[in-house]
Amino acid sequence: MPGSFAGASTDDRSTSRSGTGAGRYAPSPTAELHVGNLRTALLAWLFARSTGRRFLLRIEDLDTARVRPGMGEQQLGDLAALGITFDCKPVVQSQRLAAYQDALITLADRTYECFCSRREIAEAASAPHGSVAPYPGTCRNLTEADRIERRLRRQPALRLRADGAVQTVHDLLHGDITAEVDDVVLRRNDGTPAYNLAVVVDDAFSGVDQVVRGDDLLPAAATQAFLAALLGCSPPTYAHVPLAVNAEGRRLAKRDGAVTLPDLAALGMGPSSVLGLIAVSLDLASPGEGVTPGILLQRFDPERLPRGPWVVIPKA
Ligand code: GLU
């Protein structure tokens, strides 16, 4: 659906001028932020601040095999260098395991054990990006005898029993999106809470009512909104924003060249120049103009956001 804007409206009907709602940026501390990530963070900040919301940072560090020590702090430092500010201390997912456990207890009637391969489960649990095929339902209707026998060979993951539910979400850039809810993994077979559970529990916990993130996560929104409702929470409003891509049109990555703040600083391009570059890509500034997040906030108009991917040609 990315790229299709039928019915799109950038009128944020849940505008929170009372200061009670919040937006957020939720990086995984597995790699340095590149200019595409920084642009998404700036957009999340602009959407939140322009609607009177608080702005929060969440460190999504549950996938311990991929987390790099100190990376969360470095990401925070990079965001601060651009002038992106947060209203309270970061929420750190590895410190909230009890909350995910409580949610699993609440959802107990809507889950089932899944014994499918580690690879399939790891895909669903640790890779929020990219289109993960919907779960084919292999373990959905196992008998108790099947499960007893399989438990002897493998610890089960826990999946959502969606029962073919269909959910509509409102996206400020993509309009109303209706999709079938997937039987996503909620707890991996090593016991780790999965991305789709943690993101929903934490957004609800933090009062996040506006989720702005890359449009690669648009396919996850319906399932997450459905989960929020099962947990008794109102789903947020979404804005899935276009990604940064390399010259070949593939999602930008560190291997594409100087795309992180430290790499660009080494080439003589400081944080304010990087902010300027991002602002130009958003049609919020002219090339070479000095800007601050505050200036960009005055100019920000979601209706006028470029809707296609940002093609980044890194400096040599
Ligand atoms: N942690 C995810 C990422 O690094 C973002 C998840 C979300 O925003 O819902 O892309």
Side-chain angles (χ1 to χ4, degrees):
M1 276 159 287
S4 145
F5 307 114
S9 152
T10 48
D11 168 30
D12 185 347
R13 285 174 259 173
S14 59
T15 291
S16 173
R17 300 227 173 258
S18 64
T20 52
R24 48 62 158 192
Y25 183 59
S28 305
T30 53
E32 286 173 83
L33 298 176
H34 58 54
V35 288
N37 305 130
L38 294 168
R39 183 186 197 241
T40 300
L42 177 67
L43 280 171
W45 184 90
L46 288 168
F47 269 98
R49 293 285 187 237
S50 63
T51 52
R53 288 179 165 84
R54 293 174 296 129
F55 192 58
L56 313 175
L57 179 69
R58 180 167 71 239
I59 303 293
E60 301 210 326
D61 62 345
L62 291 177
D63 192 359
T64 47
R66 295 177 59 234
V67 164
R68 284 170 50 194
M71 190 52 74
E73 289 76 7
Q74 184 175 335
Q75 292 177 332
L76 185 55
D78 286 354
L79 294 164
L82 289 193
I84 298 175
T85 52
F86 298 94
D87 289 311
C88 41
K89 284 200 318 192
V91 169
V92 180
Q93 290 193 322
S94 58
Q95 296 170 4
R96 293 191 25 82
L97 300 181
Y100 311 132
Q101 188 51 37
D102 285 351
L104 286 172
I105 292 169
T106 305
L107 295 169
D109 290 345
R110 295 297 300 241
T111 61
Y112 63 90
E113 292 177 340
C114 171
F115 300 87
C116 292
S117 80
R118 184 179 297 269
R119 189 164 157 231
E120 204 177 328
I121 291 163
E123 243 178 21
S126 70
H129 297 291
S131 45
V132 174
Y135 179 62
T138 324
C139 295
R140 197 179 287 141
N141 296 312
L142 296 180
T143 64
E144 181 58 12
D146 288 334
R147 285 195 293 270
I148 289 170
E149 189 262 319
R150 279 166 213 230
R151 277 185 213 129
L152 297 175
R153 282 180 278 128
R154 173 187 277 284
Q155 285 293 315
L158 271 189
R159 282 189 185 272
L160 172 66
R161 186 181 292 284
D163 282 335
V166 169
Q167 175 80 34
T168 300
V169 295
H170 184 67
D171 187 286
L172 298 172
L173 302 179
H174 296 264
D176 283 344
I177 305 282
T178 300
E180 187 162 336
V181 178
D182 188 17
D183 281 12
V184 287
V185 171
L186 300 178
R187 192 189 67 201
R188 290 164 32 162
N189 83 328
D190 64 1
T192 308
Y195 159 70
N196 280 298
L197 177 74
V199 79
V200 170
V201 169
D202 287 342
D203 282 340
F205 165 78
S206 306
V208 167
D209 62 350
Q210 182 194 60
V211 168
V212 178
R213 58 189 180 185
D215 61 15
D216 54 331
L217 286 168
L218 186 58
T223 297
Q224 292 175 2
F226 181 79
L227 261 177
L230 284 185
L231 290 168
C233 309
S234 308
T237 292
Y238 295 94
H240 288 90
V241 300
L243 291 181
V245 297
N246 65 17
E248 284 83 50
R250 280 194 292 277
R251 181 209 313 262
L252 192 70
K254 188 154 165 50
R255 64 180 167 277
D256 289 317
V259 290
T260 63
L261 280 194
D263 288 350
L264 289 163
L267 295 177
M269 193 172 178
S272 49
S273 304
V274 176
L275 184 67
L277 181 81
I278 293 172
V280 170
S281 82
L282 294 169
D283 287 343
L284 290 174
S286 317
E289 193 187 345
V291 287
T292 62
I295 292 173
L296 300 180
L297 184 56
Q298 285 164 18
R299 300 178 183 174
F300 180 62
D301 175 2
E303 295 282 348
R304 297 183 50 215
L305 266 186
R307 299 301 187 96
W310 176 32
V311 184
V312 180
I313 312 289
K315 288 180 85 175

